[in-house]
Structures are given as C-alpha cells and as structure tokens.
C-alpha cells in the first residue's frame, strides 16, 4: 500500500540502489500517472489518469490486466489478501481481484470533487469558485481489522468491510479528504482540507481527537492537509499546506513540535527512519531531514524544483521524485546526490517550463492570461514528465510513474 | 526641382544608412513545443538615444521596454524589462544582427535557454515608452507608515516619497515581516491626490488617496494575488 505499510513509514526492505544502470522497462498508459505503484506477488499495481487500474508484471513490464473505471485514478492502490483496492474520480471505490482485475465489489461514495474556493491562490474571477489545480491526488486506501479505509472529496473518511463491501462507518470532516489515512494501534489518522487533522477509532469511527492546522481565509493557499501522515513509535508526522510539518502525539493529538517552512507547502508525506524525519517542500524546493524527537533540522538541501512526491528509503539510499521530471537518489546519511534520472519529456523542456539548470522557469511557467496563470501553469508542469508519484523500491529496482504517461522501472 | 528631389533622396538614404535597424521588425521565435510571433520596435529618440520595445503575443509581453539597448553597426542587444522576468530566473534578453539581405536574425535568451528568431522589417517603429514617474504634491513628500496583515501576522510598511530634480518622484519602500524587504520602486504616480506606486519586479502595487486632513493615505497594497487594505499615516 501507499508508503509501504499502514503506518506509512516510507521505508522499504530492499537494498538501496546507489547507482543507476538502466531503464529496466517502461510501461505506457494513455495519460499522466500521479499514482504511486505498489508490489504484490510479482505484480505492480497502480492507477492511471486514463481511468484504468493496472496490473503489470514486475519482471517484464508486461501488462497483466487493466480495469477501466469512470474517471482518473490518481491514488495508490492497496493490496490485501488477493484484492486490489483503489479510488477513482468517478466517485466509486473499487475492490478488484488481484489476479484477474475482476470486480469483487464497488462502493459508491457521495461523489468526488477537488478542493475549491473563491479567490483560491488569487485566481480570477474572485467571486467564482475554482477547483484547486494542485489537488492532484486522490486518497489512497489502507487495510486493517478487516476494513479498508480511505478519504473522499465528499469530506468523509470511509471504513468499508473488505469481505462484503458494506459500509462499516463514515466520519464526516468539513472538506475534501484527499490525504491518505494511516493506521496504527486501532486508530486511523488522516488530515482534511478543512484545516483539521483527525484521529478516529478504527472500529467505531468515533473521533478520538482533532488537531487544528493553519487557516487562510483570504486566498485559501495556506490551508489543508494534502500530505499523508506517518505514524511511528506513537508519534504522527504530517506535512500541511500551511507550510508546517507537525509531530503530534498519536494518543492525544498534542503537538510535540512543528517545523516551519516559510509559506512553502509540504505536500510530500514524511518518511521516518531511525529517529529521523525525511520530507520535501513545494515552492522552496528544499529537501529536509529533521530529528524525529525534537524537530530540529539535521540536514537541509536546496533542490531545483517543487516536490510533491514522498521520499522512499531503502538501505542507505533515499529516492524522491521532483516535478521537473527528475528522480533523485541521495545518500541517506549525508544527502549527497548519488544519481539522477530525467524523463525524456523533461529534457524536451516544452515551452521552456524549465531553466537550463532544470529549475522552474517561472516567467514562462506562469505566463498566461492575467490571473488564470496557476491553472495554466499546473498544466504546463504536467506536460514535462513531472514526477508526482512516490517511488517504490523492491529488489534494487525503483518503480514510479510520471506525467508523460509511463510507469518506469529503473535498475 | 531636380536638386530638391536629389537632396531629399540623399537625406533619406543618409537617415536609413545611419539607422539601419530602426523600424518595426516582425517574425517568429520557436521554443520547444511552441512558436510565438515576435515584434520588435527600434528607434532613436529626439536625443538620438536608442529606444526599443517588444511584443510577444501568447507570452504576455506587450510593449515591454528594452533596456541596456546596445546597437553597434548591425548588431543589436537588449534586455526585456518588466516581462518574462523573475527573481530566481533573471531577465530575458535578445541578441540579433542585421543580415546582408536585410533581415534581423538573432536569439531570445531566457534562464539559459536560447531560441533563434528571424525578423523582417514591416514598417516604421512604434516604440512604446514606459510610463514615467510624476512629481507628487508636497502633501505626499515625506515618510509614511502603516501595517497590513498577511498569513496571520503583521507586516510593517514604511514609504518615503521625495521629488527628484528632473525625473519625477522617487519612493523608498520597506516591508518588515519575518524578514525585512526593500523592494525597488520603479514608478510613482500622483494625480489629484491619488497615489500609485509600483515595484514591478516584486509584483507590488500600492494605490491610495490622501485624506482631507492630509495626514493619512487610505489604500490597497497588492502583492501578487493578495489585495490587502493599508492605511499609511504620516510620521510625525
């Protein structure tokens, strides 16, 4: 499942790929991929914005099956007990046979939508409600206690019985839930775009506690949990669009520390490993390592472009995707760059979206009609093989998707 | 009569020969995945200084002035001011030279990216001159202070206005939040008590009207997409 396990640690048991040798295979789809791949029994599963849920043979990159939904699938499937679970923009939740792609059951939510607001990011016209172009992910499910848990654009956190597809409970938040829930010790943790982070009893759906993040009533830019939490050793770590990374006591919701990122979103989901928290920022394009106990900075490195992808740790290597179409591998301890892989589309640099050194070329990225610029800019970012997907690492092979429509396997 | 015509003809030739790049030049520039029209106007001012502006439909560039304009024989170079510029990427510039067949061929250079263009002369120049700062009334001259709030914490603004000797008013702007910023104000306008200042490279505009008591300016501070009320009060 997303981030490797229900606690979302982002840590994989594979050896760390310290060198890049070649593209093992790349698998074409019909549209961009922002979903992150997962692996089970030799098959890679992921969603495509072409509306399909895919199963691909990990060894060869050969398609095993695809199941067409009624909308884009920018979520990461969960695999449990031979069943693939995924959400779709058609507002339905799918349980598919992992071998065949056949439907076990479907569950209809109250309907998907993106986060939206009047005047969002300063977009005009100000009195018109506009969907957030950077609300790119759907909530990725987790499975625990015989239920599958996921968030929805209808504002609910759902618990569905895995055997029957029946609703066990739903927990209503105040806005879109596209962050992915994490599970630990009988509790489901998830953030909402209503500015609150919730801990919910996994069995009953009753709220245990809530934590209030930042608000932004003016342009709705600095509000909402889009990042997904990691829960390690009784502490919840989550990024937020209010530019903070929070560490919260998993039992009480009490804030242990916060890491301020100076107005820069933290969409990336933190990875936690051996007492350190690894995360990346959007606008400021910084890669951070912080002490898990105190939140003090251990390492900070300037990157080239926004990062929505979440870091994946394998052995002594950390791998992360960058929206400039680069997959980066760093030394876990020092942060030293080990190797980069660049998608072909990013090397084409359509519309000069990137500078020569592969930073975002903001005058060309945002040029457009007046203040519709963010809408157009998001589309331009998608057009250069950007990597929103979080890497999966197994047996020294790295799997990830890109907005050029390919799922890559690198070794 | 023949002499007059000959003199006029000679004069025209002389003018053309001394300003071979003056004119409106049109063509296209191809960047990866997109082609844009490029219209370049080059002329000499009454003081015989070179002036220029550029239009690139589709890239949001209309009449952007060319600064650091250098024209030597058939070579032209300049920097686009106020468009296609960013604090991280710097300015976009052009470099071109006149070919023997009368074309102006060159390169558009932005953030290390380079694209070729080829232009042909299509008419006389229509250079758009940038607006110039005006003199402000004495009621505005001096130091003003005020606060606005963004993202939940206050920013303290100090604006100092002065009239220059020949080039209209100047303004110094300081904004203190978590950091202290001193954006360069490149335009100051005042008309009938309504003040406008712009720091174009920072996306900052302040517009406000002087109160009847002459002790405050009530207006709006615009920072990119943010429009925030800001009342400035004269520093005692």
């Amino acid at each position: 499942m997303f981030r490797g396990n229900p606690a979302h640690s982002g840590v994989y048991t594979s050896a760390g790929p310290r060198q890049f040798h070649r593209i093992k295979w790349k698998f074409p789809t019909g549209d961009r991929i922002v979903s992150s791949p997962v692996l089970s029994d030799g098959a890679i599963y992921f969603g495509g914005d072409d509306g399909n849920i895919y199963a691909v043979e990990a060894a060869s990159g050969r398609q095993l099956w695809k199941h067409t939904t009624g909308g884009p699938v920018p979520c990461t499937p969960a695999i449990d007990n031979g069943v693939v679970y995924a959400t779709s923009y058609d507002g339905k939740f799918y349980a598919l046979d992992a071998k065949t792609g056949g439907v076990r059951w479907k569950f209809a939510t109250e309907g998907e939508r993106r986060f939206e607001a009047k005047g969002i990011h300063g977009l005009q016209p100000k009195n018109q409600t506009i969907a957030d172009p950077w609300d790119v992910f759907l909530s990725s499910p987790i499975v625990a206690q015989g239920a599958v848990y996921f968030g929805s654009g209808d504002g609910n956190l759902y618990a569905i019985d895995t055997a029957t597809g029946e609703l066990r409970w739903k927990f209503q938040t105040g806005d879109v839930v596209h962050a992915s829930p994490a599970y630990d010790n009988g509790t489901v943790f998830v953030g909402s775009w209503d500015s609150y982070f919730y801990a919910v009893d996994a069995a009953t759906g009753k709220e245990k506690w809530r934590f209030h993040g930042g608000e932004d009533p003016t342009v709705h830019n600095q509000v909402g949990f889009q990042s997904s939490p990691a829960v390690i050793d009784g502490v919840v770590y989550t990024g937020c669009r209010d530019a903070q990374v929070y560490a919260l006591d998993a039992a009480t919701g009490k804030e242990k520390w916060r890491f301020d990122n100076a107005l820069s979103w933290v969409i990336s989901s933190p990875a936690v490993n051996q007492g350190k928290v690894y995360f990346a920022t959007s606008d400021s394009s910084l890669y951070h390592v912080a002490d898990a106990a105190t939140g003090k900075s251990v390492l900070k490195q300037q990157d080239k472009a926004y990062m929505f992808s979440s870091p994946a740790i394998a052995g002594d290597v950390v791998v992360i995707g960058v929206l400039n179409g680069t997959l980066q591998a760093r030394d876990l301890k020092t942060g030293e760059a080990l190797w980069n892989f660049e998608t072909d589309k990013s090397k084409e640099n359509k519309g000069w979206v990137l500078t020569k050194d592969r930073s975002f070329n903001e005058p060309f990225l945002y040029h457009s009609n007046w203040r519709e610029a963010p809408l157009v800019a998001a589309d331009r970012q998608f057009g250069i093989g950007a990597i929103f997907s979080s890497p999966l690492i197994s047996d020294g092979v790295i799997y990830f998707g890109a907005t050029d429509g390919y799922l890559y396997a690198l070794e | 009569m023949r002499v007059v015509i000959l003199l006029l003809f000679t004069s025209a030739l002389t003018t053309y020969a001394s300003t071979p790049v003056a004119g409106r030049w049109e063509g296209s520039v191809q960047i990866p995945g997109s082609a844009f029209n490029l219209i370049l106007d080059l002329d000499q001012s009454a003081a015989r200084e070179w002036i220029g502006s550029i239009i690139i439909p589709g890239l949001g560039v209309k009449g952007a002035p060319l600064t650091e304009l250098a024209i030597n024989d058939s070579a032209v170079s300049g920097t686009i001011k106020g468009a296609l510029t960013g604090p991280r990427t710097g300015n976009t510039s052009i470099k071109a030279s006149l070919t023997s067949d009368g074309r102006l061929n060159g390169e558009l250079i932005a953030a290390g990216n380079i694209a070729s263009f080829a232009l042909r002369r299509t008419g006389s120049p229509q250079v758009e001159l940038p607006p110039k700062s005006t003199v402000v009334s004495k009621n505005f001259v001096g130091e003003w202070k005020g606060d606005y709030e963004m993202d939940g914490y206050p920013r303290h603004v100090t604006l100092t206005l002065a009239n220059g000797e020949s080039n209209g008013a100047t303004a110094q702007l300081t904004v203190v939040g978590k950091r202290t910023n001193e954006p360069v104000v490149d335009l100051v306008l005042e008309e009938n008590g309504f003040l406008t200042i712009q720091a174009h490279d920072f996306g900052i505009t302040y517009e406000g009207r002087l109160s009847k008591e002459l002790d405050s300016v009530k207006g709006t501070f615009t920072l990119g997409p943010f429009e925030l009320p800001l009342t400035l009060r004269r520093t005692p």
Side-chain angles (χ1 to χ4, degrees):
Chain A
M1 58 193 68
F2 183 56
R3 313 296 290 138
N5 45 58
H8 288 173
S9 67
V11 180
Y12 296 86
T13 54
S14 168
R18 293 190 70 83
Q19 291 181 311
F20 168 65
H21 298 289
R22 65 185 182 104
I23 298 174
K24 183 177 181 182
W25 49 257
K26 61 180 195 178
F27 175 83
T29 70
D31 209 330
R32 67 188 193 189
I33 301 171
V34 301
S35 163
S36 304
V38 292
L39 174 71
S40 179
D41 288 337
I44 300 289
Y45 301 88
F46 67 98
D49 279 13
D50 62 3
N52 292 311
I53 300 167
Y54 288 96
V56 174
E57 190 176 68
S60 65
R62 184 176 61 89
Q63 180 173 306
L64 297 172
W65 54 258
K66 70 174 181 184
H67 181 91
T68 303
T69 75
V73 186
C75 83
T76 300
I79 318 294
D80 185 71
N81 202 23
V83 181
V84 181
Y85 300 96
T87 48
S88 167
Y89 255 108
D90 65 7
K92 296 187 178 64
F93 185 82
Y94 290 78
L96 308 176
D97 186 287
K99 292 286 181 204
T100 66
V103 176
R104 292 283 185 90
W105 50 260
K106 286 186 199 179
F107 176 85
T109 68
E110 293 168 21
E112 265 305 335
R113 70 180 182 95
R114 287 194 172 85
F115 176 60
E116 60 191 338
K118 289 179 179 175
I120 188 168
H121 311 322
L123 284 161
Q124 290 188 342
K126 282 186 175 177
N127 282 335
Q128 185 164 13
T129 300
I130 299 176
D132 188 326
W134 284 289
D135 179 8
V136 290
F137 302 111
L138 283 180
S139 179
S140 300
I142 52 161
V143 181
Q145 294 188 348
V148 58
Y149 306 89
F150 63 95
S152 169
D154 63 18
N156 290 313
L157 171 68
Y158 286 95
I160 310 294
D161 189 282
T162 54
T164 65
E166 297 292 323
L167 177 70
R168 282 191 178 178
W169 51 258
K170 63 181 177 182
F171 175 84
Q172 178 119 40
T173 77
D175 213 320
V176 168
V177 183
H178 282 165
S180 304
Y183 172 89
D184 186 60
N185 197 25
T187 305
V188 181
F189 301 90
V190 74
S192 167
W193 237 297
D194 67 2
S195 79
Y196 286 93
F197 186 91
Y198 298 90
V200 178
D201 186 286
T204 65
K206 301 295 182 195
E207 179 179 321
K208 288 187 168 180
W209 52 259
R210 66 172 69 186
F211 173 82
H212 195 189
E215 299 258 22
D216 180 0
T218 312
V219 292
H220 314 280
N221 177 277
Q222 297 281 304
V223 63
F225 288 91
Q226 190 174 8
S227 166
S228 301
V231 190
I232 307 293
D233 296 334
V235 181
V236 180
Y237 303 91
T238 184
C240 187
R241 275 206 181 184
D242 69 2
Q244 308 295 321
V245 171
Y246 294 104
L248 310 174
D249 185 290
T252 64
K254 188 179 175 190
E255 181 179 321
K256 295 174 81 73
W257 52 258
R258 65 174 66 192
F259 190 110
D260 182 27
N261 294 281
L263 301 178
S264 188
W265 292 346
V266 183
I267 309 300
S268 168
S269 302
V272 184
N273 184 48
Q274 296 186 340
K276 293 190 177 65
V277 183
Y278 301 78
F279 66 95
T281 67
S282 176
D283 291 59
S284 60
S285 308
L286 289 167
Y287 168 78
H288 286 285
V289 183
D291 184 276
T294 64
K296 300 292 183 197
S297 178
V298 175
L299 182 71
K300 178 174 88 169
Q301 290 182 326
Q302 182 66 57
D303 213 299
K304 296 285 177 64
Y306 313 158
M307 285 172 278
F308 279 36
S309 169
S310 304
I313 295 171
D316 56 359
V317 178
V318 58
V319 183
I320 191 168
V322 188
L323 295 199
N324 66 359
T326 305
L327 190 82
Q328 295 183 337
R330 299 169 186 268
D331 182 88
L332 183 68
K333 188 177 281 185
T334 66
E336 173 199 0
L338 299 174
W339 52 266
N340 284 345
F341 170 81
E342 297 165 357
T343 59
D344 287 342
K345 273 283 184 191
S346 73
K347 287 188 271 194
E348 287 174 19
N349 194 13
K350 182 181 175 187
W352 280 358
V353 167
L354 302 175
T355 65
K356 193 179 180 185
D357 75 353
R358 297 178 64 78
S359 298
F360 275 123
N361 188 6
E362 289 173 352
F364 284 77
L365 180 63
Y366 289 104
H367 82 76
S368 81
N369 299 324
W370 197 225
R371 290 177 180 169
E372 295 171 355
L375 292 173
V376 185
D379 213 40
R380 290 193 184 108
Q381 287 172 337
F382 298 141
I384 57 157
I387 301 173
F388 289 82
S389 175
S390 299
L392 158 72
I393 308 172
S394 178
D395 288 334
V397 180
I398 302 172
Y399 304 90
F400 65 96
T403 59
D404 60 8
Y406 284 92
L407 185 82
Y408 290 85
L410 307 183
E411 59 185 6
Chain B
M1 186 66 178
R2 285 179 62 192
V3 172
V4 172
I5 290 171
L6 188 61
L7 283 173
L8 285 172
F9 183 66
T10 307
S11 170
L13 273 181
T14 305
T15 303
Y16 180 76
S18 63
T19 58
V21 297
R24 165 159 284 199
W25 299 85
E26 297 189 53
S28 67
V29 59
Q30 175 80 44
I31 68 174
S34 308
F36 296 96
N37 289 335
L38 192 155
I39 299 149
L40 183 64
D41 288 295
L42 296 169
D43 201 357
Q44 284 185 300
S45 68
R48 308 299 290 168
E49 291 175 341
W50 281 101
I51 53 176
S53 61
I54 192 165
I55 303 168
I56 311 180
L59 278 178
V61 183
K62 172 62 175 79
L66 287 171
T67 60
E68 301 164 22
L69 193 56
I71 296 178
N72 298 308
D73 298 327
S74 60
V76 179
S77 64
T79 300
I80 300 173
K81 175 76 174 170
L84 301 181
T85 184
R88 299 182 199 177
T89 56
N91 293 316
T92 296
S93 60
I94 60 158
K95 197 168 63 175
S97 58
L98 201 61
T99 64
S100 57
D101 62 353
R103 289 180 179 271
L104 194 60
N105 291 352
E107 294 172 335
L108 183 75
I109 304 156
N113 299 307
I114 299 173
S116 299
F117 60 75
L119 311 179
R120 62 184 179 84
R121 195 197 308 263
T122 58
S124 54
Q126 301 173 48
V127 174
E128 288 190 42
L129 295 174
K132 288 188 173 176
S133 293
T134 62
V135 170
V136 296
S137 76
K138 64 179 182 184
N139 295 325
F140 277 104
V141 171
E143 186 179 80
W144 302 81
K145 287 182 182 287
D147 297 329
Y148 68 85
E149 188 176 301
M150 196 168 82
D151 301 319
Y153 63 95
R155 318 293 167 99
H156 310 291
V157 176
T158 303
L159 177 68
T160 307
L161 292 164
N163 280 318
E165 290 184 1
S166 59
N167 293 323
T170 59
Q172 282 186 307
L173 180 65
T174 305
V175 182
V176 181
K178 287 184 177 175
R179 300 175 192 154
T180 297
N181 291 302
E182 295 184 330
V184 176
V185 175
D186 42 27
L187 186 66
V188 181
L189 302 172
E190 190 235 321
E191 194 170 346
N192 299 323
F194 191 80
L195 176 74
T196 302
I197 70 158
Q198 287 184 356
H200 195 281
D201 287 351
F202 289 78
I204 289 174
T205 300
Y206 178 70
E207 292 180 327
R209 178 164 290 285
L210 189 64
S211 66
K212 287 178 183 170
E213 296 75 20
L214 308 179
D215 59 353
S216 67
V217 181
K218 189 175 182 181
T220 303
F221 187 87
T222 304
L223 174 61
F226 300 94
E227 288 184 11
L228 305 146
L230 172 61
T231 298
L232 297 171
R233 300 189 189 285
R234 183 178 285 288
T235 304

